Amino acid sequence: MSRTATSRIRAVLRYSWQRYPPLFYLVVVTLWSLSLDGMLRTLGGGQGLALSWDLLHVALSVFGVGYFMRIVDELRDYEYDRVHNPERGLAKGDVSFQDLYVALAVCAAILLGSNLAVSWMRALILLGIMVYSLFLWWLELNSTTYQGSMFLTIAVAIQLHVGQGAYVWLAQAERAGRAPEAQGLLVVLGLVFIYLHWEVMRKTAWPGSTKPGEKLYSDEVGSVASSLLAFALVVGASGLMFHLSHGAAWLFLAPVAVGVLNVALFFKTRSPRGRSGRLAGISYFAFLFAMLVHAFVGRYS
């Protein structure tokens, strides 16, 4: 292997470690996958979470497709990052577009190959997620309408999150040897809502408290409406899980409690969006832990 090829591989690995820290995202993705899988099993009459090699493969596949999406995000945001985030690898030239194209191809080959060996439907969902991710990049470059609204952007892009949930939903049903439970889509919807809560709240701020050029949801609808929308999303997410839970439903009050604190501080102290985003992140993880604990309760009840 030539020295040039070796240096390019090292550059991609450095970029990957910085932009998609494997230890952090493996923990987050594993928690997300286990929580969703366990909740789906309880809906299907199972005994909650059941660990298996197939579930590990599912979590790693979600991690891998998340890495694919992160690279596409980096490519899509190149012009914006050159101005607002010049320290990022692609913006400052640590890696090239060609390097990341190769990384995308390798990632796609591993994901599709390993999933085709198990289920062509799983591979098809992953292929759809990756193609849709590339489509969003095309939209960013070619549609001024898409670029002009944060809410339109997230409404279109959130389908990637739906796709990841559908992948786990299908895999869980295949593992259980039955058709996917229709109610499982409500669990996926709950995860979409809690993600949107975090996404909207971390990009909501009071006028005059942000850096020039930042893109915020509150710029479009105002700080009050944006923060209340974020709160409605955490209530909606927890309400769905409360409705679907057959035991320990009280666990899903925790994300709402943090959401109440977040909105109260946002209005009372006009706290910076950094703190609002961190508290929304706590709501997000509290939600995932509630799902996971609920799955364990189902396992041992």
Side-chain angles (χ1 to χ4, degrees):
M1 182 178 295
S2 69
R3 182 179 179 183
T4 300
T6 302
S7 64
R8 291 172 66 182
I9 291 173
R10 288 175 178 170
V12 171
L13 291 176
R14 283 196 305 271
Y15 155 84
S16 302
W17 189 272
Q18 293 167 358
R19 300 299 300 135
Y20 198 69
L23 296 180
F24 173 77
Y25 279 100
L26 276 172
V27 170
V28 173
V29 167
T30 300
L31 173 61
W32 187 87
S33 300
L34 292 179
S35 300
L36 176 54
D37 184 86
M39 193 75 189
L40 291 170
R41 277 181 59 84
T42 62
L43 292 180
Q47 295 300 308
L49 185 65
L51 300 179
S52 66
W53 287 112
D54 185 67
L55 182 54
L56 174 62
H57 177 250
V58 167
L60 289 174
S61 294
V62 175
F63 172 82
V65 81
Y67 175 66
F68 185 98
M69 289 155 49
R70 171 53 60 88
I71 294 177
V72 175
D73 281 345
E74 197 87 355
L75 293 167
R76 186 177 69 235
D77 294 340
Y78 173 69
E79 294 297 337
Y80 180 84
D81 286 343
R82 288 181 64 189
V83 177
H84 299 284
N85 301 298
E87 75 286 352
R88 291 184 178 175
L90 184 61
K92 69 178 181 179
D94 280 354
V95 290
S96 67
F97 275 72
Q98 184 178 2
D99 293 336
L100 296 186
Y101 293 155
V102 173
L104 287 177
V106 171
C107 183
I110 293 172
L111 285 171
L112 295 178
S114 64
N115 277 271
L116 276 172
V118 179
S119 163
W120 69 268
M121 282 295 295
R122 295 192 207 180
L124 185 62
I125 292 175
L126 290 178
L127 177 62
I129 292 172
M130 291 185 285
V131 170
Y132 192 78
S133 183
L134 294 171
F135 168 69
L136 294 181
W137 182 17
W138 180 87
L139 271 183
E140 183 75 23
L141 296 176
N142 294 279
S143 173
T144 55
T145 302
Y146 179 75
Q147 298 171 14
S149 170
M150 290 280 288
F151 283 102
L152 177 60
T153 299
I154 192 60
V156 176
I158 195 60
Q159 307 313 317
L160 294 171
H161 209 66
V162 174
Q164 289 176 298
Y167 172 80
V168 178
W169 177 56
L170 174 69
Q172 195 281 323
E174 289 182 337
R175 197 178 310 113
R178 54 174 171 74
E181 292 283 334
Q183 280 190 314
L185 293 177
L186 294 179
V187 182
V188 174
L189 183 61
L191 283 171
V192 168
F193 280 178
I194 196 66
Y195 173 82
L196 288 174
H197 163 71
W198 171 73
E199 167 68 13
V200 173
M201 198 64 197
R202 76 188 182 95
K203 294 180 181 177
T204 293
W206 295 104
S209 65
T210 59
K211 299 176 182 178
E214 286 186 302
K215 296 180 179 179
L216 304 173
Y217 296 99
S218 51
D219 291 338
E220 296 184 35
V221 297
S223 305
V224 173
S226 189
S227 61
L228 292 179
L229 172 61
F231 180 68
L233 286 165
V234 70
V235 171
S238 296
L240 279 172
M241 295 302 106
F242 194 91
H243 169 70
L244 294 171
S245 299
H246 303 299
W250 58 270
L251 290 164
F252 296 101
L253 297 176
V256 177
V258 179
V260 170
L261 174 64
N262 200 353
V263 171
L265 289 174
F266 184 76
F267 280 97
K268 183 176 181 180
T269 67
R270 297 212 162 198
S271 57
R273 74 182 185 94
R275 183 167 71 180
S276 298
R278 287 191 294 272
L279 285 171
I282 292 174
S283 283
Y284 182 82
F285 282 106
F287 187 86
L288 293 182
F289 276 113
M291 291 177 66
L292 189 62
V293 172
H294 182 274
F296 273 107
V297 169
R299 179 179 178 83
Y300 295 107
S301 61

